[in-house]
C-alpha cells in the first residue's frame, strides 16, 4: 500500500489509461477523485474501485472548463481532505494532414489537450501552495517529443504539455512541489473509437504498443518516486535524442510511422493512445 493516505485526482478517468490508473492507485492505498464528462462511465469506474475496497469520488466535469476544474478540486478537498497528486490525463486525438485539419478541429484539440491540462494543474496548484506539497503529472505522448506525420496538430498539443511541465519543474525548484511528464507509446484504449465519434474516421497504426496496465504502473511508480520524465519504451528516449542531434535522419525514420486514415467500418474496436 505504497500510496496509503494519499489523495490522487485523475482527469479522463472514465476509461483507458485514466481508469486503469485509478484502479491501481486505489489498490496501492490512495483515495482517488475521478473526473470525466461521461457520468455513467465515471460512476462505473468509482463503483469498481469501491468494490475492490478502495475509496473513490466521481465528479463529472469537463477539462475544457476552468470553472469545472476548480470545482473538481474543491470537491476533492472537501470530500477527501487533501490533494496530493493531479494526473492530467484527459485527451483526444485527430489523424489527418494539415489540409484536413480545420480550424475547428485545431481549437478542439488545443482546448482538451492543452488548456485541459493547464486548467487542471492550475486548480490543483492553488491547493498545493496552501499545503506546501503536491505533484502534477501530465500524460503526454512520444508524439510530443517527436512529431508524427498525419498527426501534426495532435503532436503539437502533446509538445505543449511537455513545455508546460518543463516550465513547472523549473518553477518548483527548491520547493516541495513536483511536476512530471509521462510518454506512452500506442496503447489499446477507446482513443480511436472516440476519434470515430468526434471526427468520423479511424487511423492506421503501426509500431510497438503497450497496455493500459503498463502505463498505470509507470504512473504509480512516478508518484512513489517522482521523476522528471517517464519513458515506458526505452527506444522512444533515443528517438527524442536523435530528433535533436540529427533531425533530418529522424524525419526519414518517422516516415514509416506516419498516420493514414481508414474507414470506420474497417475499425476493429481497439483504440490507441499515442
Amino acid at each position: 500500500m505504497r500510496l496509503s493516505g494519499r489523495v490522487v485526482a485523475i482527469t479522463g478517468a472514465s476509461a483507458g489509461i485514466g481508469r486503469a490508473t485509478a484502479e491501481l492507485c486505489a489498490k496501492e492505498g490512495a483515495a482517488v477523485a475521478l473526473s470525466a464528462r461521461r457520468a455513467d462511465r465515471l460512476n462505473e469506474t468509482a463503483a469498481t474501485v469501491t468494490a475492490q475496497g478502495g475509496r473513490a469520488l466521481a465528479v463529472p466535469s469537463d477539462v475544457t472548463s476552468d470553472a469545472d476544474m476548480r470545482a473538481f478540486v474543491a470537491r476533492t478537498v472537501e470530500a477527501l481532505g487533501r490533494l496530493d497528486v493531479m494526473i492530467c490525463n484527459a485527451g483526444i486525438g485527430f489523424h489527418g494532414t494539415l489540409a484536413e485539419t480545420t480550424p475547428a478541429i485545431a481549437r478542439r484539440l488545443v482546448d482538451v489537450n492543452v488548456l485541459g491540462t493547464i486548467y487542471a494543474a492550475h486548480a490543483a496548484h492553488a491547493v498545493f501552495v496552501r499545503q506546501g506539497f503536491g505533484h502534477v503529472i501530465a500524460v503526454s505522448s512520444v508524439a510530443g517529443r517527436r512529431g508524427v506525420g498525419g498527426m501534426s496538430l495532435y503532436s503539437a498539443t502533446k509538445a505543449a504539455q511537455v513545455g508546460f511541465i518543463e516550465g513547472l519543474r523549473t518553477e518548483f525548484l527548491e520547493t516541495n512541489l513536483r511536476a512530471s511528464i509521462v510518454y506512452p507509446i500506442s496503447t489499446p484504449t477507446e482513443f480511436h473509437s472516440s476519434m470515430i465519434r468526434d471526427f468520423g474516421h479511424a487511423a492506421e497504426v503501426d509500431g510497438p504498443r503497450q497496455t493500459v496496465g503498463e502505463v498505470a504502473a509507470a504512473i504509480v511508480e512516478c508518484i512513489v518516486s517522482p521523476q522528471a520524465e517517464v519513458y515506458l519504451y526505452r527506444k522512444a528516449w533515443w528517438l527524442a535524442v536523435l530528433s535533436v542531434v540529427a533531425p533530418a535522419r529522424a524525419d526519414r525514420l518517422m516516415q514509416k510511422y506516419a498516420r493514414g486514415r481508414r474507414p470506420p467500418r474497417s475499425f476493429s474496436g481497439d483504440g490507441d493512445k499515442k
Side-chain angles (χ1 to χ4, degrees), residues 191-203 263-265 267:
F191 192 64
H192 277 196
S193 56
S194 296
M195 196 182 306
I196 293 172
R197 180 194 65 217
D198 294 339
F199 304 115
H201 70 268
R265 61 180 179 275
F267 181 62

Side-chain angles (χ1 to χ4, degrees), residues 131-212:
Q131 295 175 162
F133 60 86
H135 191 177
V136 176
I137 300 176
V139 181
S140 180
S141 165
V142 68
R145 270 301 187 203
R146 179 47 173 91
V148 180
M151 53 190 300
S152 58
L153 199 287
Y154 175 75
S155 297
T157 63
K158 294 285 127 176
Q161 288 181 304
V162 176
F164 177 59
I165 293 298
E166 287 176 342
L168 289 186
R169 289 206 311 268
T170 304
E171 186 177 323
F172 293 167
L173 287 175
E174 313 303 329
T175 75
N176 288 322
L177 275 61
R178 301 288 181 264
S180 304
I181 191 121
V182 179
Y183 298 104
I185 56 174
S186 292
T187 310
T189 67
E190 294 184 356
F191 192 64
H192 277 196
S193 56
S194 296
M195 196 182 306
I196 293 172
R197 180 194 65 217
D198 294 339
F199 304 115
H201 70 268
E204 300 287 353
V205 179
D206 296 315
R209 301 191 182 193
Q210 63 203 357
T211 67
V212 292

